[in-house]
Amino acid sequence: MNFDFSVLFQYRDLLLQGLFVSFELTFIAIIGGMIIGAFLALMRMSSIWIVSALAGGYVNFLRSLPLILVIFWFYVLTPKIVGHPIDAYASVLIAFILFEAAYYCEIIRAGISSVKRGQVQAGLAMGFSYLRVMRYVVLPQALRNMVPVLLTQAIIMFQDTSIVYVVGVRDFLTTADVVANSTNRPIEFYSLAAVTYLVICFIASHLVSRLQRRYAL
Amino acid sequence: MIEVRQVSKWYGNFGVLDDCSLTISKGEVVVICGPSGSGKSTLIKCMNGLEAFQKGEIFFDGISVGAKGTDLPKLRSRIGMVFQNFELFPHMSVLKNIALPQIKILNRRRAEAEARAEKLLLRMGLKAQAEKFPAQLSGGQQQRVAIARALAMDPVAMLFDEPTSALDPEMINEVLDVMVSLAQEGMTMAVVTHEMGFARRVANRVVFMDQGKIVEDAAKEEFFGTPRSDRAQQFLSKILQH
């Protein structure tokens, strides 16, 4: 067996493009998921029964499905619903955002309920309105409690983007696989893929634990 | 200043407060005591509208606390409240805990609010702790900061909900001393506490509650001399035994 790692270098532009797609997917899914997740969290905590039940139903439904099924589903269904074929990239983005929103909803809700009830009472007793208690007292504490989980979720999200392989979106892993097959150098390219994911996730989780230590309350 | 008229509160079939009436005049110090679960904390939280009640009326300085149109935040900003678990805001420094409500609620300038905070911290003997965070302070220190935070709003009355119950014994006196000096300055105070020494020193009246009812409302001398109700006698003999 002889290995030739110089082929990796020849394909660096393609691979970097793929890596960029992976980061882009992660980033957009996190932002979109957090925005929708925040609304879902507010709905779930609503005192209006039907509103909270709707959000709860959505969250429980999506959390009980495997991600890959949600991706297939949107890939096959969205063109049927909108009536014309859509880009695979767009369909996985929608799937990721809607899937992640369910998880972010639970993270945000847990963050808000991690703040003691007495804090709300103390804020109200000072003369803050309920909204200002949220703004000055509850949300800053909730966010601080949420940061480690949010970042951990982002790392999982980054790894999960590789699932787009199944619908042929050219993310990092798909690109590595395509090039591995065309050059007949699978070991080199799969090793590179493994090392890349490992390094990125290792650095990211190292940052998370440092943040955690620094902001431990 | 605080007038509680025939207030009742219940959860489902479970009565928490049963026809409670109580008047606290300006400058008066009223201690509310009673066994746990008797409703004394609930009663004091009704006084600034933190707890709702189903029947009766409460007036603070002539304003109805329970009425729909009442501007509760504004009303509450005039009543200081101190909690059993201090409830300082853990993400802010001690100084900011005291300054922020003044800035956001009373629209004081930052410099003015901080000067007021520093003056109060000096009075509490906590000037050196201004830049620390609540978690770095002892329980007794935290509670004194909480009192300073309430006083910074220039309240016309103060409510204390078991202010020393969560403290280690050696820290109780540092908090009680501050409360005694407040009482001696003429602050109107309603204090839920089991500290009968405090009641003896500064209370004008002692209210005894049991099972949601005000069983006894008597001048201090009368209460400690000969409580009229059996329940109050039993309670006193239990907590004064040692």
Side-chain angles (χ1 to χ4, degrees):
Chain A
M1 286 260 258
N2 61 341
F3 298 123
D4 177 12
F5 284 96
S6 67
V7 290
L8 302 179
F9 195 68
Q10 288 169 31
Y11 290 92
R12 64 185 186 282
D13 287 346
L14 264 181
L15 289 166
L16 279 173
Q17 257 177 38
L19 193 59
F20 179 77
V21 170
S22 291
F23 279 129
E24 192 182 56
L25 271 171
T26 309
F27 185 73
I28 297 176
I30 287 172
I31 300 295
M34 273 177 77
I35 292 170
I36 298 177
F39 278 109
L40 284 170
L42 288 178
M43 284 173 70
R44 275 207 90 166
M45 289 185 299
S46 163
S47 53
I48 306 164
W49 172 85
I50 185 80
V51 174
S52 122
L54 271 174
Y58 175 88
V59 168
N60 288 329
F61 179 60
L62 271 160
R63 293 215 307 170
S64 54
L65 297 179
L67 174 57
I68 198 159
L69 178 63
V70 180
I71 285 174
F72 274 145
W73 219 44
F74 275 91
Y75 185 64
V76 180
L77 273 186
T78 324
K80 296 236 157 60
I81 293 170
V82 295
H84 54 86
I86 68 159
D87 187 23
Y89 186 74
S91 88
V92 294
L93 256 187
I94 296 171
F96 270 129
I97 289 173
L98 293 180
F99 186 79
E100 289 300 307
Y103 285 85
Y104 281 115
C105 166
E106 290 305 273
I107 293 172
I108 292 166
R109 197 171 66 113
I112 290 176
S113 21
S114 73
V115 179
K116 286 188 300 167
R117 219 179 97 75
Q119 289 280 304
V120 177
Q121 289 209 334
L124 289 175
M126 299 297 315
F128 284 115
S129 65
Y130 187 75
L131 278 178
R132 293 175 104 197
V133 171
M134 275 286 154
R135 173 163 165 212
Y136 295 118
V137 180
V138 177
L139 287 180
Q141 294 182 58
L143 266 175
R144 209 163 291 206
N145 296 345
M146 271 186 264
V147 163
V149 196
L150 287 178
L151 293 177
T152 309
Q153 183 68 20
I155 295 172
I156 297 172
M157 178 69 222
F158 177 67
Q159 294 171 341
D160 280 354
T161 53
S162 59
I163 288 182
V164 300
Y165 178 84
V166 297
V167 291
V169 169
R170 287 290 189 106
D171 76 324
F172 182 66
L173 185 68
T174 313
T175 310
D177 180 65
V178 169
V179 188
N181 287 325
S182 64
T183 57
N184 206 18
R185 289 275 175 199
I187 297 189
E188 286 84 345
F189 281 100
Y190 291 154
S191 305
L192 175 76
V195 169
T196 307
Y197 279 105
L198 181 79
V199 167
I200 290 170
C201 293
F202 178 78
I203 293 173
S205 51
H206 192 71
L207 281 177
V208 174
S209 53
R210 268 185 56 175
L211 267 175
Q212 239 166 337
R213 247 174 290 139
R214 183 183 299 181
Y215 292 108
L217 274 174
Chain B
M1 174 152 295
I2 302 173
E3 212 186 329
V4 179
R5 283 191 206 154
Q6 300 181 309
V7 164
S8 295
K9 176 183 174 72
W10 54 83
Y11 298 111
N13 285 328
F14 180 70
V16 190
L17 295 176
D18 183 4
D19 202 27
C20 293
S21 296
L22 174 67
T23 305
I24 302 175
S25 314
K26 191 170 185 323
E28 240 185 340
V29 176
V30 174
V31 163
I32 303 168
C33 62
S36 59
S38 59
K40 50 199 192 309
S41 284
T42 309
L43 180 67
I44 206 172
K45 283 180 178 166
C46 284
M47 291 178 188
N48 64 353
L50 279 185
E51 292 270 4
F53 45 93
Q54 280 90 2
K55 240 175 94 182
E57 282 180 299
I58 296 179
F59 290 94
F60 179 84
D61 217 7
I63 302 163
S64 169
V65 175
K68 267 225 145 49
T70 302
D71 183 352
L72 271 180
K74 180 151 188 219
L75 181 74
R76 287 172 181 146
S77 71
R78 301 174 57 216
I79 313 173
M81 183 153 199
V82 175
F83 295 85
Q84 182 175 359
N85 294 315
F86 331 132
E87 303 299 352
L88 294 175
F89 305 134
H91 55 300
M92 298 176 197
S93 69
V94 162
L95 190 74
K96 201 170 171 204
N97 259 283
I98 307 175
L100 185 87
Q102 302 177 59
I103 297 169
K104 298 298 175 191
I105 299 166
L106 302 179
N107 296 317
R108 285 184 184 156
R109 286 195 327 274
R110 193 185 148 134
E112 189 190 351
E114 286 182 351
R116 180 94 174 93
E118 272 165 15
K119 211 169 142 192
L120 282 162
L121 284 173
L122 189 67
R123 171 179 175 179
M124 302 288 164
L126 294 169
K127 197 162 192 306
Q129 325 293 334
E131 295 307 321
K132 289 191 181 161
F133 282 82
Q136 296 168 283
L137 305 187
S138 73
Q141 290 174 323
Q142 289 189 52
Q143 194 61 298
R144 283 181 286 151
V145 172
I147 295 173
R149 180 176 69 173
L151 289 176
M153 304 291 287
D154 296 321
V156 293
M158 290 279 287
L159 309 175
F160 292 85
D161 182 14
E162 305 209 31
T164 57
S165 309
L167 294 176
D168 291 335
E170 75 269 24
M171 292 170 184
I172 290 176
N173 279 330
E174 63 191 60
V175 172
L176 289 180
D177 286 345
V178 172
M179 291 168 60
V180 166
S181 77
L182 268 180
Q184 285 164 347
E185 285 165 22
M187 176 62 80
T188 308
M189 291 162 70
V191 186
V192 171
T193 185
H194 289 152
E195 295 294 335
M196 289 302 126
F198 171 81
R200 278 210 162 106
R201 269 175 85 184
V202 294
N204 299 101
R205 279 176 23 239
V206 180
V207 170
F208 177 77
M209 289 184 73
D210 188 31
Q211 297 183 337
K213 285 195 181 69
I214 291 180
V215 180
E216 186 126 8
D217 179 352
K220 170 180 58 177
E221 299 76 14
E222 198 183 329
F223 184 80
F224 288 113
T226 48
R228 278 164 294 193
S229 67
D230 292 347
R231 281 296 285 132
Q233 281 178 17
Q234 276 174 26
F235 178 77
L236 272 185
S237 71
K238 266 187 201 145
I239 63 170
L240 294 179
Q241 234 165 30
H242 304 289

